[in-house]
């Protein structure tokens, strides 16, 4: 398996990955994640260096991205991680783990201080995520709190606190 940056021409395969990965969560309709990725890619929040794909036997089987987010009221920039998607037949084979390690390492190499996500509280702690509230970071929606997590990177400073705001395209979900 190869983990690399997204390049032009990968868009359709990335959309297909997210459509398949998230389909079980939308039994009555199409997943929103493919459209979210397109909207994020077209926004100012897009960080191209943090849009990574997993390639196996020449096919894209997974994708993850981080986009610019903000802590309020300070307006300080941090990263929001997601979506993370893996094709169904490749789940539970280390693809998601490889993507997570790669995107966190890349974010750290870019001197980003903090990555925040809304995700399963039993899955993400293995990557160093912990409840965001432990770091003084609050979700915009209080019901998110049990699954709202943050990961400090090398440039983290303890004064990075406040209410987290995802990139604008997330508000259209």
């Amino acid at each position: 398996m190869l983990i690399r940056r997204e390049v032009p021409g990968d868009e359709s395969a990335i959309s297909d990955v997210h459509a398949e990965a998230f389909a079980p969560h939308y039994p009555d309709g199409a997943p929103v994640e493919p459209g979210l990725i397109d909207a994020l890619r077209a926004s100012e929040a897009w960080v191209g260096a943090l849009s990574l794909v997993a390639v196996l036997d020449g096919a894209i089987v997974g994708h993850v991205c981080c986009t610019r987010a903000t802590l309020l009221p300070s307006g300080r920039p941090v990263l929001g991680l997601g979506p993370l998607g893996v094709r169904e037949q490749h789940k539970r084979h280390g693809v998601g783990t490889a993507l997570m390690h790669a995107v966190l390492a890349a974010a750290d190499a870019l001197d980003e201080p903090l990555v925040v996500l809304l995700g399963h509280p039993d899955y993400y702690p293995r990557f160093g995520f912990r409840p965001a509230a432990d770091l003084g970071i609050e979700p915009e929606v209080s019901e998110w709190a049990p699954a709202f997590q943050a990961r400090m990177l090398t440039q983290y400073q303890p004064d990075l606190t406040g209410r987290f705001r995802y990139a604008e395209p997330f508000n259209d979900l």
Side-chain angles (χ1 to χ4, degrees), residues 69-76 136 138 140 161-166:
T70 309
L71 288 177
L72 301 174
S74 69
R76 291 180 67 184
E138 303 168 13
E140 284 191 285
T161 62
R163 188 168 35 91
F164 179 85
R165 176 170 287 162
Y166 275 107

Side-chain angles (χ1 to χ4, degrees), residues 30-57:
V32 299
E33 285 76 9
L36 173 62
I37 292 290
D38 291 341
L40 288 168
R41 195 180 286 117
S43 78
E44 292 180 9
W46 189 249
V47 182
L50 298 177
S51 178
L52 305 179
V53 295
V55 181
L56 189 59
D57 297 327

